Amino acid sequence: MVGDRVLTLPNVISFVRLLGVPLFLYLFLVVEADVAAIVVLAVGGTTDWVDGWVARRLRQVSRLGELLDPFADRLYILATVLAFTAREVVPWEFTVALFGRELLLLGSLAVLRRHGYGPPPVHYVGKTATFLLLAAFPLLLLASAVPDTSVSASSAGWALAWWGLVLYWVAGALYVVQAGRLVRSVRRGVAS
């Protein structure tokens, strides 16, 4: 059951997670404290799982949490990939591929809103893609920051990143299909 409460432990975890984004950007881009930035990324990725687990365990699933969690995920992913591109940890093509998917979803969300719907529920493929990307980023940064780990961390990081990107697009396609079904059902209802 989804509640209306705002002040729940999972929502507090999500808000704290959101604060990690500017902290990561400061550590990574301004002071170039890469090891500290790795820690912030790792904690941010871990708390993505923790807030959902706590919400289900304590029965504190809320509408705000359902919106806040994917927003925090996207913000982490997009801010990280932009920062990584700026410092040449990832190539710009990877960034364009991630942003292309986000533009597709923005267009889909605009169509849904025009027909009176909010964002669709998060799909497990999207959750898996997010997990893979959030696991890949600390490894890619570790490979860049600590030369002794570059071969193993880079291999594991890129494997997770590419699988995450593919699943990110698969999830995007599923959301577009879901949006199309909703819009068609509304049009059929109007035509009746």
Side-chain angles (χ1 to χ4, degrees):
M1 184 173 154
V2 178
D4 292 335
R5 290 180 51 204
V6 171
L7 191 57
T8 64
L9 182 56
N11 289 349
V12 169
I13 293 169
S14 291
F15 281 120
V16 171
R17 213 166 120 227
L18 282 171
L19 294 175
V21 174
L23 177 60
F24 161 75
L25 291 172
Y26 173 76
L27 292 170
F28 185 67
L29 294 174
V30 178
V31 297
E32 296 189 10
D34 292 353
V35 174
I38 291 168
V39 171
V40 171
L41 279 179
V43 169
T46 303
T47 55
D48 175 40
W49 176 82
V50 170
D51 63 2
W53 182 83
V54 169
R56 288 183 299 279
R57 188 73 157 192
L58 299 180
R59 300 179 202 268
Q60 293 184 348
V61 175
S62 68
R63 183 64 187 141
L64 176 62
E66 288 181 342
L67 297 172
L68 192 59
D69 185 55
F71 174 74
D73 292 343
R74 280 200 178 88
L75 190 59
Y76 251 102
I77 289 170
L78 297 177
T80 301
V81 81
L82 277 175
F84 277 14
T85 304
R87 288 222 6 228
E88 299 179 353
V89 174
V90 299
W92 64 268
E93 295 90 349
F94 189 85
T95 304
V96 168
L98 271 172
F99 271 85
R101 187 265 196 181
E102 292 303 320
L103 289 174
L104 174 73
L105 288 186
L106 267 173
S108 179
L109 184 58
V111 169
L112 283 173
R113 288 206 188 279
R114 193 174 38 207
H115 288 87
Y117 290 100
V122 177
H123 194 276
Y124 75 90
V125 175
K127 288 182 181 185
T128 303
T130 298
F131 170 80
L132 292 172
L133 290 169
L134 292 176
F137 293 150
L139 289 170
L140 293 174
L141 183 51
L142 181 65
S144 174
V146 183
D148 291 343
T149 67
S150 66
V151 172
S152 58
S154 180
S155 297
W158 278 113
L160 292 169
W162 286 114
W163 272 108
L165 180 62
V166 167
L167 289 179
Y168 214 51
W169 271 95
V170 168
L174 291 171
Y175 293 135
V176 168
V177 167
Q178 188 178 17
R181 286 182 183 149
L182 285 171
V183 169
R184 279 192 301 278
S185 72
V186 167
R187 287 184 179 158
R188 275 193 301 263
V190 169
S192 298

